[in-house]
């Protein structure tokens, strides 16, 4: 196990890389903690945590809402949780977002930690302190930026995921490669067979590279005023597609990254051959690339995007693979470019 300690503005976070879920009690007091876990993770791994206080909630992105937050808060009240109780979210990205948000608002904030169980949650959702829920058609409209006290990375947990969910996690790793790490892009190309076959050494490398990449950006810009916006590469259009098509986050981000690369060709002179290289990599990891959503509906969602300021959206574009930039793009111009996708 590797331990990393990161000092954010508001919280020191410890990362336990390569630790086992069975060792959770070494890092948090079982008697002063409440677990929140989704029904799928409870079914697979609940026996490892049979003597902990638990709140079990439904699984799925469609329950990433205030009703689930209220269920967690009711559970905390039922366990008579106080301001020194630690809430531990165990599950995928939906779970870490909702658990972190509930902890941030219960009694004006209690300590919390995460055990991400999916590849997507290990490489992205659990890191950086963004917690929240969706509201209506707007993904993550309500939320906070509050850092977890700890994140425990058990590399064996994602190995039990269904194939589709496994592929879903690679979208965010590809994103890090696009925005800040050309060598990681090369690695993904060269090791795709082992990665898809769930080779644990490759998984460990990819998770640790992703954790380092995201943490570096968040430490520099915790509250998203500059470089942290790069982490939204593929997400502006991707979030809209995700809400409209009800598809997995990684699939939607993959579609969004291809669209953003095409916009980058027009706005930044991003080489077309690099767009084609990105498309091939996304397809190699069995993720979609074609944008087929209703463009008017996507435009309506853009108008309420959190990255909008007046008539512009701070859109993340690529100068080259491994180097991102943010550009204020008029929403009307985005609509025109969407018509050409």
């Amino acid at each position: 196990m590797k331990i990393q300690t990161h000092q954010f503005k508001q919280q020191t976070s410890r990362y336990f890389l390569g630790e086992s879920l069975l060792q959770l009690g070494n890092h948090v007091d079982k008697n002063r903690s409440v677990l929140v876990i989704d029904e799928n993770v409870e079914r697979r791994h609940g026996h490892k945590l049979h003597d902990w206080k638990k709140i079990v909630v439904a699984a799925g992105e469609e329950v990433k809402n205030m009703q689930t937050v209220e269920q967690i808060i009711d559970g905390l009240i039922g366990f008579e949780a106080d301001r020194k109780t630690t809430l531990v979210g165990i599950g995928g990205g939906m779970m870490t977002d909702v658990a972190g948000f509930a902890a941030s608002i219960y009694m004006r904030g209690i300590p919390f930690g995460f055990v991400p169980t999916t590849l997507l949650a290990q490489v992205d959702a659990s890191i950086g302190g963004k917690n929240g829920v969706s509201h209506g058609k707007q993904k993550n409209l309500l939320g906070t930026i509050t850092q977890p006290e700890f994140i425990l990375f058990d590399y064996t947990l994602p190995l039990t995921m269904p194939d589709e969910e496994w592929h879903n996690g690679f979208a965010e790793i590809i994103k890090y490669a696009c925005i800040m790490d050309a060598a990681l892009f090369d690695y993904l190309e060269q090791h795709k067979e082992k990665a898809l076959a769930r080779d644990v050494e490759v998984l460990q490398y990819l998770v640790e590279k992703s954790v380092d990449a995201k943490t570096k950006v968040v430490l520099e810009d915790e509250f998203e005023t500059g470089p942290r916006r790069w982490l939204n590469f593929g997400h502006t259009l991707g979030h809209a597609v995700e809400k409209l098509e009800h598809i997995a986050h990684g699939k939607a981000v993959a579609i969004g990254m291809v669209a953003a690369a095409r916009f980058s060709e027009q706005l930044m002179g991003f080489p077309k051959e690099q767009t084609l290289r990105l498309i091939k990599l996304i397809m190699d990891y069995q993720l979609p690339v074609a944008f087929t959503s209703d463009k008017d509906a996507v435009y309506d969602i853009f108008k309420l995007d959190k990255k909008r300021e007046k008539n512009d959206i701070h859109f993340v574009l690529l100068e080259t693979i491994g180097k991102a930039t943010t550009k204020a793009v008029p929403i009307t111009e985005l609509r025109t470019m969407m018509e050409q996708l």
Side-chain angles (χ1 to χ4, degrees):
M1 178 186 66
K2 295 180 186 175
I3 301 175
Q4 294 182 358
T5 301
H6 300 285
Q7 184 62 55
F8 296 94
K9 288 185 176 69
Q10 52 175 228
Q11 174 69 49
T12 300
S13 290
R14 289 165 297 149
Y15 297 169
F16 305 112
L17 295 149
E19 180 65 293
S20 167
L21 174 60
L22 293 168
Q23 304 305 315
L24 178 61
N26 292 346
H27 308 296
V28 66
D29 183 350
K30 184 188 299 185
N31 299 315
R32 303 284 291 146
S33 303
V34 175
L35 311 183
V36 57
I37 185 167
D38 76 44
E39 56 196 6
N40 292 339
V41 178
E42 170 67 11
R43 192 165 52 248
R44 285 198 190 100
H45 304 291
H47 62 282
K48 301 172 186 173
L49 304 160
H50 63 89
D51 53 351
W52 291 70
K53 296 172 192 166
K54 270 188 232 175
I55 302 165
V56 180
V57 301
E61 192 69 21
E62 64 277 4
V63 297
K64 187 178 173 181
N65 53 37
M66 284 303 295
Q67 285 85 353
T68 302
V69 173
E70 289 175 14
Q71 182 186 348
I72 295 169
I73 289 171
D74 287 342
L76 288 167
I77 292 168
F79 285 123
E80 299 181 0
D82 60 28
R83 296 187 73 177
K84 299 297 184 183
T85 301
T86 299
L87 185 66
V88 184
I90 303 177
M94 184 282 285
M95 178 53 62
T96 60
D97 268 18
V98 173
F101 184 47
S104 298
I105 62 174
Y106 182 74
M107 293 189 173
R108 296 200 178 105
I110 62 173
F112 65 95
F114 297 141
V115 183
T117 60
T118 65
L119 180 57
L120 184 62
Q122 289 197 354
V123 301
D124 179 58
S126 65
I127 309 159
K130 281 190 177 181
N131 316 289
V133 295
S134 300
H135 181 77
K137 289 184 178 180
Q138 303 304 318
K139 186 174 169 69
N140 301 334
L141 188 66
L142 311 174
T144 64
I145 297 179
T146 315
Q147 301 298 336
E149 288 211 335
F150 71 89
I151 310 174
L152 186 152
F153 297 85
D154 182 337
Y155 299 135
T156 68
L157 296 177
L159 301 179
T160 62
M161 293 165 59
D163 283 349
E164 185 175 358
E165 282 298 309
W166 182 250
H167 300 143
N168 191 39
F170 285 101
E172 296 289 353
I173 304 173
I174 292 169
K175 175 194 78 177
Y176 295 129
C178 286
I179 65 172
M180 59 189 299
D181 194 341
L184 178 59
F185 200 101
D186 295 341
Y187 184 94
L188 286 162
E189 289 178 324
Q190 294 159 11
H191 294 83
K192 58 180 182 282
E193 289 84 5
K194 283 187 173 182
L196 291 170
R198 309 190 190 206
D199 181 283
V200 176
E201 284 187 17
V202 171
L203 171 63
Q204 179 178 337
Y205 178 84
L206 292 174
V207 170
E208 292 184 8
K209 287 287 283 186
S210 299
V211 167
D212 287 346
K214 184 164 187 179
T215 303
K216 178 181 177 185
V217 173
V218 173
L219 283 168
E220 185 177 340
D221 179 23
E222 188 170 356
F223 295 99
E224 199 169 344
T225 57
R228 186 167 185 173
R229 288 174 169 160
W230 298 345
L231 298 173
N232 292 312
F233 177 64
H235 284 60
T236 300
L237 188 138
H239 278 164
V241 169
E242 184 176 356
K243 292 297 288 186
L244 292 170
E245 308 297 336
H246 305 289
I247 61 173
H249 178 71
K251 289 183 175 181
V253 169
I255 293 167
M257 287 192 291
V258 173
R262 298 232 184 261
F263 295 166
S264 299
E265 289 177 24
Q266 296 181 54
L267 297 171
M268 303 301 301
F270 182 65
K272 186 176 181 65
E273 60 270 19
Q274 293 200 6
T275 300
L276 297 175
R277 188 180 169 203
L278 173 59
I279 289 171
K280 182 179 186 307
L281 185 67
I282 290 171
M283 292 176 68
D284 282 345
Y285 281 88
Q286 300 179 32
L287 290 162
V289 295
F291 174 61
T292 58
S293 300
D294 181 283
K295 290 167 183 173
D296 289 334
V298 170
Y299 182 70
D300 286 341
I301 292 175
F302 274 179
K303 287 188 286 190
L304 271 176
D305 191 279
K306 296 186 297 300
K307 295 173 288 299
R308 177 183 171 186
E309 287 184 11
K310 295 185 179 178
N311 295 317
D312 296 340
I313 285 184
H314 291 279
F315 209 91
V316 185
L317 303 165
L318 297 180
E319 296 180 22
T320 186
I321 285 175
K323 187 175 182 184
T325 191
T326 307
K327 184 178 176 67
V329 183
I331 295 178
T332 51
E333 187 174 347
L334 284 173
R335 182 169 193 164
T336 301
M337 291 192 295
M338 268 200 301
E339 294 299 327
Q340 301 167 30
L341 290 175

